[in-house]
């Protein structure tokens, strides 16, 4: 058995700068058995090397369906099955049904609305001279976009934010369980309301109507599970992509100056942020469906495996000077959106939102600077970012 490395010993420093910890781990090897921080610390394998992470993301021996290993999780019992906790052929079926409704055309059609929302948020923010960027722009843009896309009523969004925050960065096991049950009840009611209301143009209504060529449709439980995945993944990640991009730019003045001088570099800002300080620190759990080896390390059947996306994307074996933030870098191959059959379905929408927000912000507030040191880091190892980001201009 490999030596256990206790990550809880790093305390809050792990949340503020996980990259320093991952660099130490990579020096020791690409795969480690670790004790993870959280409301209930537990042990897992952690993959920190790029090549090993990329291979593991596409390895069918690493199951996303934990019910095959240890029975249904709380999430699955309360919310139902979604693409992220399913393996083929179930995953193939679910993803096929969702992509029939969540099309490239539907995403591209959102572009003018994303611009309109961004402009409105900046109109409200800029006269004040300073703001919490998360509260003023990074949060309201993606939550508005995903809620409009799915058809979530505006009056529900504040309550949804509280539930969502607790799910991705739990403050306690009890609060997490309560948030899961609240989300399950809310989504059940939302789906039933849409069934009763009849045809509408939002994505959730389209998912309710979607039928495969063989007549297959999403069940009520599957609709709830998919709505949960799209709502949570559709905004929490993008909130932190936008705020991380601004935070990193403001701590790299030469890169900020280059982007302000040439807004065509904004696409590079987004992609380098995804590699350098991506919002998803580790992919959600996989479980060894059978005994296997990763880089010579034996992992027994049933054991959990975390794939470190942030760790892999700073691997010097893959990216030159990986700890340097360079918006002109060739970032192709980064793993911020995953790899293989679970590659993020919402990546095109996230890119549209982040590019639009950053371009608008840099164009209209070229003197942007930090108003306070970054703090209030999100706990856990799923999402990396801060709850607040004070800026001025």
């Amino acid at each position: 058995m490999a030596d256990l490395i206790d990550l809880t010993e790093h305390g809050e420093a792990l949340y503020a700068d996980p990259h320093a910890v991952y660099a130490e781990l990579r020096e020791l090897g690409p795969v480690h058995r670790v004790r993870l921080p959280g409301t209930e610390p537990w042990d897992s394998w952690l993959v920190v090397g790029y090549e090993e992470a990329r291979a593991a993301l596409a390895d069918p021996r690493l199951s996303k369906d934990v019910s095959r290993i240890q029975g249904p999780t709380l999430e699955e019992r309360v919310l139902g099955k979604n693409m992220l906790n399913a393996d083929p052929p179930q995953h193939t079926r679910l993803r096929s049904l969702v992509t029939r409704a969540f099309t490239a055309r539907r995403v591209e059609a959102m572009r003018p609305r994303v611009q309109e929302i961004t402009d409105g948020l900046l109109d409200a923010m800029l006269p004040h001279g300073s703001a919490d960027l998360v509260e003023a722009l990074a949060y309201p843009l993606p939550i508005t976009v995903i809620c409009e896309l799915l058809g979530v009523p505006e009056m529900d969004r504040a309550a949804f934010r509280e539930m969502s925050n607790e799910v991705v960065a739990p403050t306690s096991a009890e609060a997490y369980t309560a948030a899961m049950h609240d989300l399950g009840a809310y989504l059940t009611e939302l789906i039933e309301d849409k069934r009763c209301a009849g045809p509408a143009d939002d994505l959730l209504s389209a998912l309710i109507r979607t039928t495969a060529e063989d007549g297959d449709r999403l069940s009520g439980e599957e609709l709830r599970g998919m709505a949960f995945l799209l709502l949570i993944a559709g905004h929490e990640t993008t909130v932190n992509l936008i705020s991380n991009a601004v935070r990193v730019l403001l701590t790299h003045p030469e890169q900020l100056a280059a982007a302000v001088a040439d807004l065509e570099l904004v696409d590079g800002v987004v992609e380098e942020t995804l590699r350098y300080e991506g919002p998803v620190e580790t992919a959600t759990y996989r479980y060894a469906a059978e005994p296997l080896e990763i880089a010579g390390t034996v992992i027994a059947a049933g054991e959990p495996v975390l794939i470190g996306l942030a760790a892999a994307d700073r691997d010097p074996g893959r990216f030159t000077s990986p700890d340097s933030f360079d918006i002109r870098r060739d970032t192709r191959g980064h793993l911020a959106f995953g790899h293989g059959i679970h590659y993020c379905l919402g990546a095109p929408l996230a890119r549209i939102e982040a590019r639009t927000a950053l371009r608008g912000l840099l164009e209209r507030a070229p003197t942007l600077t930090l108003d306070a040191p970054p703090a209030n880091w999100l706990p856990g190892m799923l999402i990396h970012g801060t709850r607040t980001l004070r800026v001025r201009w």
Side-chain angles (χ1 to χ4, degrees):
M1 178 65 69
D3 291 340
L4 180 69
I5 298 174
D6 190 352
L7 297 183
T8 66
E9 293 177 351
H10 295 276
E12 296 293 318
L14 179 65
Y15 306 144
D17 185 17
H19 305 291
V21 176
Y22 295 147
E24 292 178 10
L25 292 177
R26 277 195 310 269
E27 286 290 320
L28 299 172
V31 185
H32 301 279
R33 189 167 184 81
V34 298
R35 177 152 296 156
L36 301 165
T39 55
E40 295 179 351
W42 70 315
D43 301 346
S44 172
W45 292 99
L46 176 65
V47 182
V48 294
Y50 177 87
E51 293 298 338
E52 294 79 10
R54 192 173 190 274
L57 287 168
D59 193 331
R61 297 173 300 172
L62 289 173
S63 172
K64 295 288 289 181
D65 188 352
V66 66
S67 63
R68 290 173 55 186
I69 310 297
Q70 60 185 39
T73 62
L74 172 67
E75 175 187 322
E76 194 170 328
R77 293 196 306 272
V78 173
L79 296 165
K81 208 74 171 172
N82 63 58
M83 296 182 296
L84 201 56
N85 59 22
D87 295 330
Q90 189 176 27
H91 170 271
T92 310
R93 170 182 165 268
L94 290 173
R95 187 157 180 135
S96 175
L97 284 166
V98 172
T99 52
R100 284 175 173 269
F102 193 25
T103 60
R105 178 179 295 180
R106 184 183 287 272
V107 170
E108 187 58 33
M110 291 293 295
R111 192 183 292 272
R113 180 60 180 143
V114 172
Q115 185 67 60
E116 182 181 13
I117 297 166
T118 300
D119 291 343
L121 292 169
L122 290 174
D123 288 345
M125 182 184 91
L126 292 175
H128 297 285
S130 68
D132 171 7
L133 190 94
V134 175
E135 198 65 32
L137 179 64
Y139 173 76
L141 172 60
I143 192 64
T144 302
V145 169
I146 199 65
C147 284
E148 288 188 1
L149 183 66
L150 282 161
V152 175
E154 186 169 358
M155 63 182 179
D156 294 347
R157 292 174 196 174
F160 174 75
R161 180 183 188 181
E162 291 184 16
M163 292 183 281
S164 174
N165 285 346
E166 191 59 46
V167 166
V168 301
T171 55
S172 71
E174 294 76 17
Y176 172 80
T177 299
M180 277 291 187
H181 283 284
D182 289 345
L183 265 174
Y186 172 73
L187 292 173
T188 298
E189 184 177 350
L190 178 64
I191 291 165
E192 188 56 33
D193 287 348
K194 290 189 176 297
R195 286 191 194 278
C196 296
D201 193 38
D202 62 81
L203 178 57
L204 190 50
S205 295
L207 287 171
I208 292 170
R209 298 192 304 269
T210 294
T211 305
E213 293 171 1
D214 62 359
D216 188 21
R217 306 182 74 164
L218 293 171
S219 69
E221 282 192 355
E222 289 167 344
L223 275 168
R224 189 170 60 235
M226 293 308 303
F228 164 74
L229 176 62
L230 292 169
L231 276 166
I232 298 291
H235 88 275
E236 288 284 359
T237 51
T238 311
V239 170
N240 290 286
L241 172 56
I242 294 169
S243 60
N244 285 359
V246 173
R247 173 170 51 81
V248 175
L249 272 177
L250 297 186
T251 52
H252 292 79
E254 73 292 344
Q255 300 292 307
L256 173 64
V260 169
D262 181 5
L263 293 176
E264 294 304 309
L265 291 172
V266 163
D267 288 6
V269 173
V270 172
E271 295 307 311
E272 177 68 339
T273 299
L274 284 163
R275 182 203 70 83
Y276 178 87
E277 194 81 330
V280 184
E281 188 175 330
T282 59
T284 52
Y285 283 103
R286 285 162 166 78
Y287 295 83
E290 60 186 71
L292 67 134
E293 285 190 19
I294 301 178
T297 298
V298 178
I299 297 174
E303 292 195 310
V305 178
L306 271 183
I307 301 172
L309 306 181
D313 282 339
R314 295 272 194 115
D315 187 338
R318 175 60 181 83
F319 295 101
T320 304
S321 301
D323 294 324
S324 297
F325 181 71
D326 180 4
I327 62 177
R328 293 182 174 87
R329 180 194 297 273
D330 181 355
T331 58
R332 284 177 296 183
H334 73 66
L335 300 177
F337 289 122
H339 173 67
I341 63 171
H342 289 285
Y343 183 85
C344 177
L345 191 65
L349 181 58
R351 285 185 163 113
I352 288 173
E353 292 178 64
R355 290 168 180 172
T356 303
L358 289 170
R359 179 179 284 268
L361 182 64
L362 297 181
E363 184 174 32
R364 297 180 61 181
T367 60
L368 194 71
T369 187
L370 283 173
D371 201 23
N376 204 6
W377 297 90
L378 292 170
M381 292 175 60
L382 175 60
I383 301 291
H384 179 56
T386 57
R387 294 193 191 279
T388 60
L389 186 67
R390 296 296 315 180
V391 296
R392 55 185 168 83
W393 51 92

